[in-house]
PDB file of all heavy atoms in Angstrom:
ATOM      1  N   GLU A   3       3.653   1.409  -1.225  1.00 84.00           N
ATOM      2  CA  GLU A   3       4.239   1.477  -2.575  1.00 84.00           C
ATOM      3  C   GLU A   3       3.379   2.355  -3.453  1.00 84.00           C
ATOM      4  O   GLU A   3       3.872   3.237  -4.167  1.00 84.00           O
ATOM      5  CB  GLU A   3       4.296   0.057  -3.141  1.00 84.00           C
ATOM      6  CG  GLU A   3       5.511  -0.213  -3.959  1.00 84.00           C
ATOM      7  CD  GLU A   3       5.482  -1.624  -4.518  1.00 84.00           C
ATOM      8  OE1 GLU A   3       4.542  -1.953  -5.276  1.00 84.00           O
ATOM      9  OE2 GLU A   3       6.398  -2.378  -4.190  1.00 84.00           O
ATOM     10  N   TYR A  18       5.937  19.272 -14.376  1.00 92.00           N
ATOM     11  CA  TYR A  18       5.331  19.342 -15.716  1.00 92.00           C
ATOM     12  C   TYR A  18       4.462  20.578 -15.836  1.00 92.00           C
ATOM     13  O   TYR A  18       4.413  21.221 -16.876  1.00 92.00           O
ATOM     14  CB  TYR A  18       4.482  18.103 -16.010  1.00 92.00           C
ATOM     15  CG  TYR A  18       5.252  16.809 -16.062  1.00 92.00           C
ATOM     16  CD1 TYR A  18       4.690  15.630 -15.630  1.00 92.00           C
ATOM     17  CD2 TYR A  18       6.539  16.762 -16.592  1.00 92.00           C
ATOM     18  CE1 TYR A  18       5.373  14.426 -15.707  1.00 92.00           C
ATOM     19  CE2 TYR A  18       7.228  15.570 -16.661  1.00 92.00           C
ATOM     20  CZ  TYR A  18       6.645  14.394 -16.224  1.00 92.00           C
ATOM     21  OH  TYR A  18       7.319  13.218 -16.296  1.00 92.00           O
ATOM     22  N   SER A 116      27.050  19.982 -28.532  1.00 81.00           N
ATOM     23  CA  SER A 116      25.931  19.182 -28.044  1.00 81.00           C
ATOM     24  C   SER A 116      26.224  18.439 -26.762  1.00 81.00           C
ATOM     25  O   SER A 116      25.515  17.537 -26.383  1.00 81.00           O
ATOM     26  CB  SER A 116      25.544  18.156 -29.104  1.00 81.00           C
ATOM     27  OG  SER A 116      24.990  18.796 -30.218  1.00 81.00           O
ATOM     28  N   ASP A 117      27.304  18.799 -26.073  1.00 81.00           N
ATOM     29  CA  ASP A 117      27.662  18.111 -24.852  1.00 81.00           C
ATOM     30  C   ASP A 117      26.549  18.185 -23.799  1.00 81.00           C
ATOM     31  O   ASP A 117      25.801  19.170 -23.751  1.00 81.00           O
ATOM     32  CB  ASP A 117      28.901  18.752 -24.222  1.00 81.00           C
ATOM     33  CG  ASP A 117      30.169  18.237 -24.866  1.00 81.00           C
ATOM     34  OD1 ASP A 117      30.108  17.179 -25.509  1.00 81.00           O
ATOM     35  OD2 ASP A 117      31.188  18.905 -24.719  1.00 81.00           O
ATOM     36  N   TYR A 118      26.514  17.196 -22.932  1.00 84.00           N
ATOM     37  CA  TYR A 118      25.609  17.264 -21.781  1.00 84.00           C
ATOM     38  C   TYR A 118      26.295  18.095 -20.706  1.00 84.00           C
ATOM     39  O   TYR A 118      27.467  17.894 -20.377  1.00 84.00           O
ATOM     40  CB  TYR A 118      25.390  15.862 -21.204  1.00 84.00           C
ATOM     41  CG  TYR A 118      24.701  14.950 -22.161  1.00 84.00           C
ATOM     42  CD1 TYR A 118      25.419  14.076 -22.931  1.00 84.00           C
ATOM     43  CD2 TYR A 118      23.300  14.991 -22.296  1.00 84.00           C
ATOM     44  CE1 TYR A 118      24.780  13.236 -23.833  1.00 84.00           C
ATOM     45  CE2 TYR A 118      22.669  14.169 -23.198  1.00 84.00           C
ATOM     46  CZ  TYR A 118      23.401  13.287 -23.961  1.00 84.00           C
ATOM     47  OH  TYR A 118      22.789  12.480 -24.852  1.00 84.00           O
ATOM     48  N   GLN A 133      15.495  14.914   3.209  1.00 76.00           N
ATOM     49  CA  GLN A 133      14.228  14.293   2.866  1.00 76.00           C
ATOM     50  C   GLN A 133      13.235  14.429   3.996  1.00 76.00           C
ATOM     51  O   GLN A 133      13.594  14.343   5.162  1.00 76.00           O
ATOM     52  CB  GLN A 133      14.444  12.798   2.637  1.00 76.00           C
ATOM     53  CG  GLN A 133      14.674  12.466   1.199  1.00 76.00           C
ATOM     54  CD  GLN A 133      14.842  10.989   1.020  1.00 76.00           C
ATOM     55  OE1 GLN A 133      14.748  10.233   1.974  1.00 76.00           O
ATOM     56  NE2 GLN A 133      15.071  10.576  -0.191  1.00 76.00           N
ATOM     57  N   GLN A 220      19.145  19.293 -27.166  1.00 88.00           N
ATOM     58  CA  GLN A 220      17.968  18.544 -27.593  1.00 88.00           C
ATOM     59  C   GLN A 220      17.013  18.212 -26.438  1.00 88.00           C
ATOM     60  O   GLN A 220      16.112  17.379 -26.595  1.00 88.00           O
ATOM     61  CB  GLN A 220      18.408  17.216 -28.274  1.00 88.00           C
ATOM     62  CG  GLN A 220      19.170  17.441 -29.573  1.00 88.00           C
ATOM     63  CD  GLN A 220      20.671  17.695 -29.346  1.00 88.00           C
ATOM     64  OE1 GLN A 220      21.180  17.558 -28.246  1.00 88.00           O
ATOM     65  NE2 GLN A 220      21.356  18.090 -30.418  1.00 88.00           N
ATOM     66  N   SER A 256       3.443   7.837 -13.089  1.00 93.00           N
ATOM     67  CA  SER A 256       4.120   7.207 -11.964  1.00 93.00           C
ATOM     68  C   SER A 256       3.462   5.894 -11.564  1.00 93.00           C
ATOM     69  O   SER A 256       4.131   4.878 -11.394  1.00 93.00           O
ATOM     70  CB  SER A 256       4.142   8.181 -10.793  1.00 93.00           C
ATOM     71  OG  SER A 256       4.812   7.632  -9.735  1.00 93.00           O
ATOM     72  N   VAL A 259       3.631   2.810 -14.146  1.00 92.00           N
ATOM     73  CA  VAL A 259       4.930   2.162 -14.319  1.00 92.00           C
ATOM     74  C   VAL A 259       5.267   1.204 -13.193  1.00 92.00           C
ATOM     75  O   VAL A 259       6.038   0.286 -13.363  1.00 92.00           O
ATOM     76  CB  VAL A 259       6.027   3.235 -14.477  1.00 92.00           C
ATOM     77  CG1 VAL A 259       7.391   2.614 -14.480  1.00 92.00           C
ATOM     78  CG2 VAL A 259       5.803   3.965 -15.777  1.00 92.00           C
ATOM     79  N   LEU A 262       3.188  -1.851 -14.685  1.00 92.00           N
ATOM     80  CA  LEU A 262       3.164  -2.177 -16.112  1.00 92.00           C
ATOM     81  C   LEU A 262       4.508  -1.831 -16.755  1.00 92.00           C
ATOM     82  O   LEU A 262       5.322  -1.153 -16.134  1.00 92.00           O
ATOM     83  CB  LEU A 262       2.029  -1.407 -16.795  1.00 92.00           C
ATOM     84  CG  LEU A 262       0.638  -1.740 -16.275  1.00 92.00           C
ATOM     85  CD1 LEU A 262      -0.369  -0.705 -16.757  1.00 92.00           C
ATOM     86  CD2 LEU A 262       0.217  -3.114 -16.730  1.00 92.00           C
ATOM     87  N   ALA A 265       8.423   0.999 -20.610  1.00 91.00           N
ATOM     88  CA  ALA A 265       8.619   1.568 -21.954  1.00 91.00           C
ATOM     89  C   ALA A 265       7.335   2.250 -22.416  1.00 91.00           C
ATOM     90  O   ALA A 265       7.364   3.131 -23.265  1.00 91.00           O
ATOM     91  CB  ALA A 265       9.015   0.486 -22.936  1.00 91.00           C
ATOM     92  N   LYS A 267       5.438   4.120 -20.631  1.00 91.00           N
ATOM     93  CA  LYS A 267       5.135   5.193 -19.688  1.00 91.00           C
ATOM     94  C   LYS A 267       4.311   6.324 -20.319  1.00 91.00           C
ATOM     95  O   LYS A 267       3.244   6.663 -19.864  1.00 91.00           O
ATOM     96  CB  LYS A 267       6.451   5.741 -19.151  1.00 91.00           C
ATOM     97  CG  LYS A 267       6.326   6.831 -18.173  1.00 91.00           C
ATOM     98  CD  LYS A 267       7.658   7.501 -17.923  1.00 91.00           C
ATOM     99  CE  LYS A 267       8.704   6.535 -17.419  1.00 91.00           C
ATOM    100  NZ  LYS A 267       9.306   6.939 -16.178  1.00 91.00           N
TER     101      LYS A 267
ATOM    102  N   GLY B  43      21.015  17.049 -34.111  1.00 80.00           N
ATOM    103  CA  GLY B  43      19.985  16.059 -33.812  1.00 80.00           C
ATOM    104  C   GLY B  43      20.344  15.243 -32.577  1.00 80.00           C
ATOM    105  O   GLY B  43      21.256  15.546 -31.828  1.00 80.00           O
ATOM    106  N   ALA B  46      24.025  14.055 -31.668  1.00 84.00           N
ATOM    107  CA  ALA B  46      25.074  15.037 -31.959  1.00 84.00           C
ATOM    108  C   ALA B  46      26.238  14.930 -30.979  1.00 84.00           C
ATOM    109  O   ALA B  46      27.377  15.171 -31.353  1.00 84.00           O
ATOM    110  CB  ALA B  46      24.472  16.437 -31.915  1.00 84.00           C
ATOM    111  N   GLN B  50      29.974  14.642 -32.622  1.00 89.00           N
ATOM    112  CA  GLN B  50      31.029  15.650 -32.527  1.00 89.00           C
ATOM    113  C   GLN B  50      32.338  15.055 -32.036  1.00 89.00           C
ATOM    114  O   GLN B  50      33.411  15.432 -32.511  1.00 89.00           O
ATOM    115  CB  GLN B  50      30.583  16.799 -31.635  1.00 89.00           C
ATOM    116  CG  GLN B  50      30.480  16.450 -30.194  1.00 89.00           C
ATOM    117  CD  GLN B  50      29.936  17.602 -29.349  1.00 89.00           C
ATOM    118  OE1 GLN B  50      29.428  18.597 -29.853  1.00 89.00           O
ATOM    119  NE2 GLN B  50      30.022  17.460 -28.043  1.00 89.00           N
ATOM    120  N   THR B 225      12.584  -2.205 -19.384  1.00 93.00           N
ATOM    121  CA  THR B 225      12.971  -1.425 -20.550  1.00 93.00           C
ATOM    122  C   THR B 225      12.316  -0.067 -20.454  1.00 93.00           C
ATOM    123  O   THR B 225      11.108   0.016 -20.310  1.00 93.00           O
ATOM    124  CB  THR B 225      12.508  -2.125 -21.841  1.00 93.00           C
ATOM    125  OG1 THR B 225      13.071  -3.408 -21.884  1.00 93.00           O
ATOM    126  CG2 THR B 225      12.952  -1.343 -23.059  1.00 93.00           C
ATOM    127  N   GLY B 229      14.578   9.389 -23.380  1.00 82.00           N
ATOM    128  CA  GLY B 229      13.978  10.701 -23.185  1.00 82.00           C
ATOM    129  C   GLY B 229      13.059  10.732 -21.992  1.00 82.00           C
ATOM    130  O   GLY B 229      12.189  11.595 -21.873  1.00 82.00           O
ATOM    131  N   THR B 231      11.610  11.586 -18.477  1.00 89.00           N
ATOM    132  CA  THR B 231      11.794  12.750 -17.608  1.00 89.00           C
ATOM    133  C   THR B 231      11.856  12.344 -16.137  1.00 89.00           C
ATOM    134  O   THR B 231      12.270  13.113 -15.288  1.00 89.00           O
ATOM    135  CB  THR B 231      10.630  13.728 -17.787  1.00 89.00           C
ATOM    136  OG1 THR B 231       9.431  12.997 -17.635  1.00 89.00           O
ATOM    137  CG2 THR B 231      10.683  14.380 -19.142  1.00 89.00           C
ATOM    138  N   THR B 232      11.431  11.130 -15.830  1.00 91.00           N
ATOM    139  CA  THR B 232      11.510  10.662 -14.449  1.00 91.00           C
ATOM    140  C   THR B 232      11.635   9.148 -14.458  1.00 91.00           C
ATOM    141  O   THR B 232      11.052   8.450 -15.306  1.00 91.00           O
ATOM    142  CB  THR B 232      10.272  11.071 -13.638  1.00 91.00           C
ATOM    143  OG1 THR B 232      10.346  10.408 -12.374  1.00 91.00           O
ATOM    144  CG2 THR B 232       9.008  10.645 -14.320  1.00 91.00           C
ATOM    145  N   SER B 235       9.441   5.633 -10.559  1.00 93.00           N
ATOM    146  CA  SER B 235       8.695   4.370 -10.370  1.00 93.00           C
ATOM    147  C   SER B 235       9.544   3.184 -10.762  1.00 93.00           C
ATOM    148  O   SER B 235       9.443   2.110 -10.148  1.00 93.00           O
ATOM    149  CB  SER B 235       7.423   4.389 -11.210  1.00 93.00           C
ATOM    150  OG  SER B 235       6.564   5.394 -10.789  1.00 93.00           O
ATOM    151  N   GLU B 236      10.410   3.361 -11.768  1.00 94.00           N
ATOM    152  CA  GLU B 236      11.305   2.252 -12.147  1.00 94.00           C
ATOM    153  C   GLU B 236      12.249   1.945 -11.006  1.00 94.00           C
ATOM    154  O   GLU B 236      12.504   0.788 -10.692  1.00 94.00           O
ATOM    155  CB  GLU B 236      12.115   2.640 -13.402  1.00 94.00           C
ATOM    156  CG  GLU B 236      11.314   2.646 -14.697  1.00 94.00           C
ATOM    157  CD  GLU B 236      10.631   3.978 -14.976  1.00 94.00           C
ATOM    158  OE1 GLU B 236      10.389   4.731 -14.015  1.00 94.00           O
ATOM    159  OE2 GLU B 236      10.337   4.250 -16.144  1.00 94.00           O
ATOM    160  N   GLN B 238      11.665   2.480  -7.930  1.00 92.00           N
ATOM    161  CA  GLN B 238      10.853   1.832  -6.909  1.00 92.00           C
ATOM    162  C   GLN B 238      10.779   0.327  -7.149  1.00 92.00           C
ATOM    163  O   GLN B 238      10.923  -0.489  -6.236  1.00 92.00           O
ATOM    164  CB  GLN B 238       9.452   2.451  -6.938  1.00 92.00           C
ATOM    165  CG  GLN B 238       8.781   2.475  -5.585  1.00 92.00           C
ATOM    166  CD  GLN B 238       7.395   3.172  -5.681  1.00 92.00           C
ATOM    167  OE1 GLN B 238       7.244   4.178  -6.309  1.00 92.00           O
ATOM    168  NE2 GLN B 238       6.434   2.563  -5.053  1.00 92.00           N
ATOM    169  N   ARG B 239      10.533  -0.053  -8.411  1.00 93.00           N
ATOM    170  CA  ARG B 239      10.407  -1.458  -8.737  1.00 93.00           C
ATOM    171  C   ARG B 239      11.735  -2.190  -8.553  1.00 93.00           C
ATOM    172  O   ARG B 239      11.777  -3.309  -8.052  1.00 93.00           O
ATOM    173  CB  ARG B 239       9.958  -1.628 -10.187  1.00 93.00           C
ATOM    174  CG  ARG B 239       8.479  -1.389 -10.375  1.00 93.00           C
ATOM    175  CD  ARG B 239       8.092  -1.468 -11.815  1.00 93.00           C
ATOM    176  NE  ARG B 239       8.051  -2.845 -12.289  1.00 93.00           N
ATOM    177  CZ  ARG B 239       7.405  -3.188 -13.400  1.00 93.00           C
ATOM    178  NH1 ARG B 239       6.802  -2.278 -14.143  1.00 93.00           N
ATOM    179  NH2 ARG B 239       7.417  -4.445 -13.814  1.00 93.00           N
ATOM    180  N   ARG B 266      16.980   9.975  -4.265  1.00 86.00           N
ATOM    181  CA  ARG B 266      15.764  10.308  -3.513  1.00 86.00           C
ATOM    182  C   ARG B 266      15.185   9.098  -2.826  1.00 86.00           C
ATOM    183  O   ARG B 266      14.664   9.184  -1.724  1.00 86.00           O
ATOM    184  CB  ARG B 266      14.730  10.925  -4.452  1.00 86.00           C
ATOM    185  CG  ARG B 266      14.759  12.401  -4.447  1.00 86.00           C
ATOM    186  CD  ARG B 266      13.847  13.010  -5.485  1.00 86.00           C
ATOM    187  NE  ARG B 266      14.603  13.921  -6.307  1.00 86.00           N
ATOM    188  CZ  ARG B 266      14.607  13.927  -7.630  1.00 86.00           C
ATOM    189  NH1 ARG B 266      13.880  13.079  -8.303  1.00 86.00           N
ATOM    190  NH2 ARG B 266      15.339  14.798  -8.287  1.00 86.00           N
ATOM    191  N   THR B 285      31.744  13.751 -20.866  1.00 80.00           N
ATOM    192  CA  THR B 285      31.136  14.816 -20.080  1.00 80.00           C
ATOM    193  C   THR B 285      30.457  14.268 -18.844  1.00 80.00           C
ATOM    194  O   THR B 285      30.516  14.893 -17.775  1.00 80.00           O
ATOM    195  CB  THR B 285      30.044  15.569 -20.879  1.00 80.00           C
ATOM    196  OG1 THR B 285      30.152  15.244 -22.236  1.00 80.00           O
ATOM    197  CG2 THR B 285      30.157  17.048 -20.680  1.00 80.00           C
TER     198      THR B 285
END
Side-chain angles (χ1 to χ4, degrees):
Chain A
E3 217 181 60
Y18 295 146
S116 292
D117 278 342
Y118 296 97
Q133 266 181 1
Q220 295 84 9
S256 182
V259 173
L262 298 166
K267 181 193 301 235
Chain B
Q50 70 185 11
T225 302
T231 51
T232 172
S235 296
E236 287 87 336
Q238 211 177 317
R239 281 177 76 162
R266 264 174 234 131
T285 346

